[in-house]
Amino acid sequence: PNANQGAEPIVAIAEQSGDYRIEVRSPSSKAPAGRYQIAIIAQREATSKDKEHVSAERAFAEGQRLRSQRTAPSRQAAIRNFELALPYFQSVGDLDRQALTLLAISFALAESSEFRKALDNLRQVLALTRALGNQNLEGTTLNLTGGAYDVLGDIYVALDYYRRALVLFRATGNRSSEASVLNNLGKIYNDIADWQKAVEYYSNALQLSRVLGDRRRESIVLHNIGVVFNATGESEKALDLFQQSLLLRRALGDKALEADALSSIGTAYRLLGETQKALDYYNQALPLRRVVGDRRLEATTLDNIGTVYAALGQPERALEQHRQALQLQRDVENPRGQAVSLGNIAYVYSLLNQSQKAIENYNEALSLFRGIGDLNSQALMLQGIGRVERDRGHLTDARTRVEEALRMFEEVRARAENQQLRSSYFASKQDAYQLAVEVLMREHANDPSQGHDAEALQASERGRARSLMEMLNEAHVDIRQGVGSDLIARERELTQLLNAKAQRQIQLKAQKGSQQEIDTVNKEISALEDEYQQVQAAIRKASPAYAALTQPQPLGLKEIQMQLDQGTLLLEYSLGQERSYVWAVTRDSLKTYELPKRAQIEKAAKLVYDLLTARSQSKAGETLKQKQERIAQTDSQLLDATRELSEMVLGPLGSELGVERLVIVADGALQYVPFSALSVVTGQLSVAQRSRTNKGLQTTDNGPLTIYRPLIQDHEIISLPSASALAIQRQGLRNRKPAPNAVAVIADPVFSAADERLGVQAKTGAAKQVQGDGSANTRIIEHLADDSGLVIRRLKFTRQEADQILAEAPRAKNLRAIDFKANRATATGGELSKYRYVHFATHGYIDSERPDLSAIVLSLVDEDGKPQDGFLRAREIYNLHLPAELVVLSACETGLGKEIKGEGLVGLTQGFMYAGARRVVVSLWNVNDKATAELMARFYRGMLRENKTPAAALRTAQMEMSQQRQWRAPYYWAAFVLQGEWR
């Protein structure tokens, strides 16, 4: 009963004289080594009181045994045994045994969801432990009391009990119980959506549990960290943690914990859109819940099943499940559970178009969540009310509720110091921002004079690139100044470990390593990434410079217009489930247009992207003639696809496009499409005009002919993640002096010990250098691995590209880092900070799941042929000092990354902007080596000889390429886009 603290009495009556042996063993074969002493404190003829004592101890021991079975009947039987034992301990004044027995009853009552009864007992236990001066037992009592208050909804009372328990456990050195209370503190912070603190406490609990070899608690903490990731939108990561936890729990044979893991796996699948898998796991969990007899968690599983039925279009079945859940939660007096069930019932009523019932249930749930103090859940209920009010046309009420929800979501988001958690949480709430846009635009349609379209634009800006804004805001200060050297050293160490593991991951993929090896490395990378995020959060928390920063705020219409020049049109897109919108903003006007729904636009955009990139694809066994026929067919399809998409997203704008410069803030799949490849309708030819124009041509279409004009012929095109991010960037770079030198080019790195640039001796025994054409002429290494290992082909045209660029530059003060000098040391050593234009011409590596591991690939061997780390990863780019006017990433897919809703494509671009680049030119697909060299020569000629702005020079270069027969296809020239400052 005392675990590894204090004395354990052994009471027995010997029926006959003789020698007896006492065997002492741990109940766990994996318990840590320990010491004990044994002493006889009484040896006499047994009395009737002794017999009562033995009976009490046996009843107590039997109660412990029954409780450990973790079923409803066994717990009730355990309580009866404890109640048989208690009167004896009270009669003899054994305070220690009274406390343990009442505590055991409290545990059994809590496990049966009878928390009010448990609290009555715990108050007695607390008084007894203080009278005894037993700090360890007092800590256990405080911990359980905190748990009871937590479930009953008094979470701040619970928080106080947990904190007091933690102090006592640390004072007594009880590390096992310390791990327990750390986990519980994490759970409280998770419930109030303070994800950063939750992960901090869980991480500490996990580390301590592993040190102690406590697999049960390890499984609990892994599961709870998964709950955080589910809540913040990283369900794939959550699923992995839940499955790890399930394996541990099955090995332990704990049915209650197994049911919990199965239910959470179901939730992860539900959030990933795999509803049938979710239902299968919930149905596995439900009978286990009933066997265990935990009515509170049985209700949770019923709620989950109801949610799946709602998703499957069966609202009546869903309502039945939620009502059962609500009754169970009321039976056990669980306000949080009641609120969740009420919210679910409200949602089903909204599906059934019973709006009044929906709002009544949402309001009841809202009241309960306010009593608990859970901002995140309050905001979800307000969002639900806003949606119902919108649907029944009460737009003013809807706007009020949605605005209140957004304020709460943003307050919750701001609590997290971990930038990754902020981004994930923000992404999971994008539907609330879309709802705000929808409500405001409906109000605008009803009354265009009230300026609701401008408010909708601001709501769109509130839902975009907030993490990038914050990072750009902090980029102009040294957040590491004044931070402890141990944190800085650990950050550096973790970066090195992550680089090594990421390199190993690439090698395993290239060498077709076993799935087990790949999974092991992935888990190691995940663990290191989690720690890295924690260290970064700790650095920000400890940084005086970071503490002094104020949170940047999204811009309103007037502030956005101040960022624009005459002749510049900002097009900001918002893709919605039912309808989409584009705001057309100039320096002195705002117009809005309704577009088709998200699914329709994204389908068209993805088709365009697939057809644009078809030339970089190669098919096994395809002959040259077959390839030419395939490309001709896709080029024809591309023409139709780009026109269809153009009519969707540009057609409604009409005459608004008569400007010199377009600034595009895209959304969803539109981020993958270069607007330079789109076109606009400039008129139509009548049948008669068409006959004269196309004299002698055969056509089956007797109607008028629509005339399309490529967008790039009349416009510079710039991409932005948001208008507000540009404003923050401009503010940070204001009055910055240009770097003293002109151009730095890093090109034609050495990737292999078999490279011809190495001497014969260095090449001995090296793998044969692979040459190739077709897809091998693209600049991305994911397409270049074969069975012989990690083979990255040389890009010979990057050398020509470097020489052509430098030929256009002023003769002095340039850097030509080619061959072995095109390495990480050159990139990270500080030399590049002296140049206004920094150009990387090499391979790219894009990790769409872990954007911080995306990289520019530099020399992988030194002059002696020895391997070296040549991957300049996004995480390291953030730490560069690179005050360049322009960075060009002349590699493949450098503009891509992990798409995080609300944040856009997170990858290399943000890294260079954080490092100080005023603007970045990046690519959206696997660019052709030779074509890219040609494009870049023209681009730099425009900037360095003709004094054009980067945006104008890029437009001119792309126009020239499009007019040459060899490079006419948009695949060759449209991939590169300019992001950032156009002035």
PDB file of all heavy atoms in Angstrom, residues 274-286:
ATOM      1  N   GLU A 274     -10.902   9.495 -42.287  1.00  0.00           N
ATOM      2  CA  GLU A 274     -11.119   8.064 -42.515  1.00  0.00           C
ATOM      3  C   GLU A 274     -12.181   7.571 -41.526  1.00  0.00           C
ATOM      4  O   GLU A 274     -11.886   6.924 -40.519  1.00  0.00           O
ATOM      5  CB  GLU A 274      -9.801   7.302 -42.363  1.00  0.00           C
ATOM      6  CG  GLU A 274      -8.746   7.738 -43.385  1.00  0.00           C
ATOM      7  CD  GLU A 274      -7.521   6.850 -43.376  1.00  0.00           C
ATOM      8  OE1 GLU A 274      -7.670   5.612 -43.432  1.00  0.00           O
ATOM      9  OE2 GLU A 274      -6.399   7.393 -43.292  1.00  0.00           O
ATOM     10  N   THR A 275     -13.442   7.880 -41.853  1.00  0.00           N
ATOM     11  CA  THR A 275     -14.522   7.675 -40.892  1.00  0.00           C
ATOM     12  C   THR A 275     -14.801   6.208 -40.591  1.00  0.00           C
ATOM     13  O   THR A 275     -15.131   5.864 -39.455  1.00  0.00           O
ATOM     14  CB  THR A 275     -15.805   8.351 -41.387  1.00  0.00           C
ATOM     15  OG1 THR A 275     -16.031   7.970 -42.753  1.00  0.00           O
ATOM     16  CG2 THR A 275     -15.699   9.856 -41.319  1.00  0.00           C
ATOM     17  N   GLN A 276     -14.694   5.342 -41.598  1.00  0.00           N
ATOM     18  CA  GLN A 276     -14.991   3.928 -41.337  1.00  0.00           C
ATOM     19  C   GLN A 276     -13.945   3.324 -40.398  1.00  0.00           C
ATOM     20  O   GLN A 276     -14.285   2.561 -39.488  1.00  0.00           O
ATOM     21  CB  GLN A 276     -15.046   3.129 -42.644  1.00  0.00           C
ATOM     22  CG  GLN A 276     -15.583   1.714 -42.466  1.00  0.00           C
ATOM     23  CD  GLN A 276     -16.944   1.663 -41.785  1.00  0.00           C
ATOM     24  OE1 GLN A 276     -17.888   2.321 -42.222  1.00  0.00           O
ATOM     25  NE2 GLN A 276     -17.053   0.919 -40.688  1.00  0.00           N
ATOM     26  N   LYS A 277     -12.679   3.663 -40.608  1.00  0.00           N
ATOM     27  CA  LYS A 277     -11.639   3.201 -39.685  1.00  0.00           C
ATOM     28  C   LYS A 277     -11.908   3.719 -38.277  1.00  0.00           C
ATOM     29  O   LYS A 277     -11.717   3.008 -37.286  1.00  0.00           O
ATOM     30  CB  LYS A 277     -10.256   3.672 -40.157  1.00  0.00           C
ATOM     31  CG  LYS A 277      -9.601   2.770 -41.181  1.00  0.00           C
ATOM     32  CD  LYS A 277      -8.159   3.202 -41.408  1.00  0.00           C
ATOM     33  CE  LYS A 277      -7.461   2.272 -42.381  1.00  0.00           C
ATOM     34  NZ  LYS A 277      -6.053   2.688 -42.624  1.00  0.00           N
ATOM     35  N   ALA A 278     -12.322   4.970 -38.201  1.00  0.00           N
ATOM     36  CA  ALA A 278     -12.620   5.566 -36.893  1.00  0.00           C
ATOM     37  C   ALA A 278     -13.717   4.769 -36.195  1.00  0.00           C
ATOM     38  O   ALA A 278     -13.597   4.417 -35.009  1.00  0.00           O
ATOM     39  CB  ALA A 278     -13.042   7.026 -37.070  1.00  0.00           C
ATOM     40  N   LEU A 279     -14.795   4.456 -36.918  1.00  0.00           N
ATOM     41  CA  LEU A 279     -15.912   3.720 -36.332  1.00  0.00           C
ATOM     42  C   LEU A 279     -15.473   2.332 -35.863  1.00  0.00           C
ATOM     43  O   LEU A 279     -15.885   1.858 -34.789  1.00  0.00           O
ATOM     44  CB  LEU A 279     -17.045   3.604 -37.358  1.00  0.00           C
ATOM     45  CG  LEU A 279     -18.383   3.054 -36.843  1.00  0.00           C
ATOM     46  CD1 LEU A 279     -18.909   3.900 -35.696  1.00  0.00           C
ATOM     47  CD2 LEU A 279     -19.393   2.998 -37.982  1.00  0.00           C
ATOM     48  N   ASP A 280     -14.621   1.674 -36.650  1.00  0.00           N
ATOM     49  CA  ASP A 280     -14.127   0.340 -36.270  1.00  0.00           C
ATOM     50  C   ASP A 280     -13.393   0.397 -34.932  1.00  0.00           C
ATOM     51  O   ASP A 280     -13.603  -0.458 -34.056  1.00  0.00           O
ATOM     52  CB  ASP A 280     -13.188  -0.201 -37.348  1.00  0.00           C
ATOM     53  CG  ASP A 280     -13.922  -0.549 -38.643  1.00  0.00           C
ATOM     54  OD1 ASP A 280     -15.162  -0.665 -38.600  1.00  0.00           O
ATOM     55  OD2 ASP A 280     -13.260  -0.678 -39.688  1.00  0.00           O
ATOM     56  N   TYR A 281     -12.549   1.401 -34.760  1.00  0.00           N
ATOM     57  CA  TYR A 281     -11.779   1.501 -33.510  1.00  0.00           C
ATOM     58  C   TYR A 281     -12.679   1.881 -32.333  1.00  0.00           C
ATOM     59  O   TYR A 281     -12.505   1.366 -31.225  1.00  0.00           O
ATOM     60  CB  TYR A 281     -10.636   2.504 -33.669  1.00  0.00           C
ATOM     61  CG  TYR A 281      -9.398   1.877 -34.276  1.00  0.00           C
ATOM     62  CD1 TYR A 281      -9.131   1.961 -35.637  1.00  0.00           C
ATOM     63  CD2 TYR A 281      -8.497   1.170 -33.484  1.00  0.00           C
ATOM     64  CE1 TYR A 281      -8.003   1.380 -36.193  1.00  0.00           C
ATOM     65  CE2 TYR A 281      -7.368   0.587 -34.028  1.00  0.00           C
ATOM     66  CZ  TYR A 281      -7.132   0.696 -35.381  1.00  0.00           C
ATOM     67  OH  TYR A 281      -6.015   0.099 -35.923  1.00  0.00           O
ATOM     68  N   TYR A 282     -13.642   2.770 -32.551  1.00  0.00           N
ATOM     69  CA  TYR A 282     -14.578   3.120 -31.470  1.00  0.00           C
ATOM     70  C   TYR A 282     -15.371   1.884 -31.025  1.00  0.00           C
ATOM     71  O   TYR A 282     -15.596   1.679 -29.829  1.00  0.00           O
ATOM     72  CB  TYR A 282     -15.548   4.203 -31.935  1.00  0.00           C
ATOM     73  CG  TYR A 282     -14.932   5.567 -32.122  1.00  0.00           C
ATOM     74  CD1 TYR A 282     -15.402   6.432 -33.119  1.00  0.00           C
ATOM     75  CD2 TYR A 282     -13.898   6.024 -31.312  1.00  0.00           C
ATOM     76  CE1 TYR A 282     -14.853   7.691 -33.298  1.00  0.00           C
ATOM     77  CE2 TYR A 282     -13.340   7.274 -31.487  1.00  0.00           C
ATOM     78  CZ  TYR A 282     -13.832   8.115 -32.479  1.00  0.00           C
ATOM     79  OH  TYR A 282     -13.292   9.364 -32.651  1.00  0.00           O
ATOM     80  N   ASN A 283     -15.790   1.068 -31.986  1.00  0.00           N
ATOM     81  CA  ASN A 283     -16.566  -0.127 -31.645  1.00  0.00           C
ATOM     82  C   ASN A 283     -15.726  -1.194 -30.951  1.00  0.00           C
ATOM     83  O   ASN A 283     -16.256  -2.039 -30.230  1.00  0.00           O
ATOM     84  CB  ASN A 283     -17.223  -0.700 -32.903  1.00  0.00           C
ATOM     85  CG  ASN A 283     -18.448   0.092 -33.321  1.00  0.00           C
ATOM     86  OD1 ASN A 283     -19.159   0.641 -32.478  1.00  0.00           O
ATOM     87  ND2 ASN A 283     -18.705   0.188 -34.611  1.00  0.00           N
ATOM     88  N   GLN A 284     -14.415  -1.172 -31.159  1.00  0.00           N
ATOM     89  CA  GLN A 284     -13.526  -2.046 -30.379  1.00  0.00           C
ATOM     90  C   GLN A 284     -13.399  -1.537 -28.948  1.00  0.00           C
ATOM     91  O   GLN A 284     -13.276  -2.325 -28.000  1.00  0.00           O
ATOM     92  CB  GLN A 284     -12.135  -2.101 -31.015  1.00  0.00           C
ATOM     93  CG  GLN A 284     -12.049  -2.834 -32.342  1.00  0.00           C
ATOM     94  CD  GLN A 284     -10.643  -2.786 -32.898  1.00  0.00           C
ATOM     95  OE1 GLN A 284      -9.680  -3.198 -32.236  1.00  0.00           O
ATOM     96  NE2 GLN A 284     -10.497  -2.287 -34.119  1.00  0.00           N
ATOM     97  N   ALA A 285     -13.415  -0.216 -28.785  1.00  0.00           N
ATOM     98  CA  ALA A 285     -13.212   0.382 -27.462  1.00  0.00           C
ATOM     99  C   ALA A 285     -14.445   0.240 -26.567  1.00  0.00           C
ATOM    100  O   ALA A 285     -14.326   0.025 -25.351  1.00  0.00           O
ATOM    101  CB  ALA A 285     -12.842   1.861 -27.602  1.00  0.00           C
ATOM    102  N   LEU A 286     -15.662   0.349 -27.149  1.00  0.00           N
ATOM    103  CA  LEU A 286     -16.880   0.424 -26.345  1.00  0.00           C
ATOM    104  C   LEU A 286     -17.087  -0.778 -25.427  1.00  0.00           C
ATOM    105  O   LEU A 286     -17.350  -0.595 -24.221  1.00  0.00           O
ATOM    106  CB  LEU A 286     -18.097   0.629 -27.262  1.00  0.00           C
ATOM    107  CG  LEU A 286     -19.415   0.910 -26.542  1.00  0.00           C
ATOM    108  CD1 LEU A 286     -19.319   2.163 -25.677  1.00  0.00           C
ATOM    109  CD2 LEU A 286     -20.552   1.057 -27.553  1.00  0.00           C
TER     110      LEU A 286
END
